[in-house]
């Protein structure tokens, strides 16, 4: 049962992260299209946001390992 819970946690975290990354990147492209002179600042903020979004699935993997190996 722990394995199923771990797989579900990792899968949902990956799904949420992929949706979040898609939204961030699409809004970044829109922003650069509107104000190309701010390209480097917008790109820096995008990478910061993507990094924060990707932290959640990494935490989910750690929690999954804890669930699996806590027997």
């Amino acid at each position: 049962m722990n394995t199923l819970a771990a797989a579900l946690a990792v899968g949902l975290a990956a799904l949420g992260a992929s949706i979040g990354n898609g939204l961030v990147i699409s809004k970044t492209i829109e922003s650069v299209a509107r104000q190309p002179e701010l390209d480097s600042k917008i790109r820096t903020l995008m990478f910061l946001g993507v990094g924060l979004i990707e932290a959640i699935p990494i935490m989910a993997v750690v929690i999954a390992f804890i669930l699996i190996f806590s027997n």
Side-chain angles (χ1 to χ4, degrees), residues 34-52:
R34 290 181 183 183
Q35 294 188 338
E37 67 274 4
L38 294 177
D39 180 35
S40 64
K41 288 184 180 183
I42 293 171
R43 190 180 319 130
T44 302
L45 287 173
M46 179 200 70
F47 284 130
L48 181 64
V50 167
L52 291 173

Side-chain angles (χ1 to χ4, degrees), residues 8-69:
L8 186 63
V10 171
L12 290 175
L15 178 67
S18 63
I19 291 170
N21 282 336
L23 291 173
V24 166
I25 292 171
S26 71
K27 294 299 181 180
T28 300
I29 292 170
E30 288 178 17
S31 299
V32 170
R34 290 181 183 183
Q35 294 188 338
E37 67 274 4
L38 294 177
D39 180 35
S40 64
K41 288 184 180 183
I42 293 171
R43 190 180 319 130
T44 302
L45 287 173
M46 179 200 70
F47 284 130
L48 181 64
V50 167
L52 291 173
I53 290 170
E54 287 297 323
I56 300 300
I58 292 170
M59 286 187 252
V61 169
V62 170
I63 291 170
F65 282 138
I66 291 170
L67 284 173
I68 290 173
F69 295 115

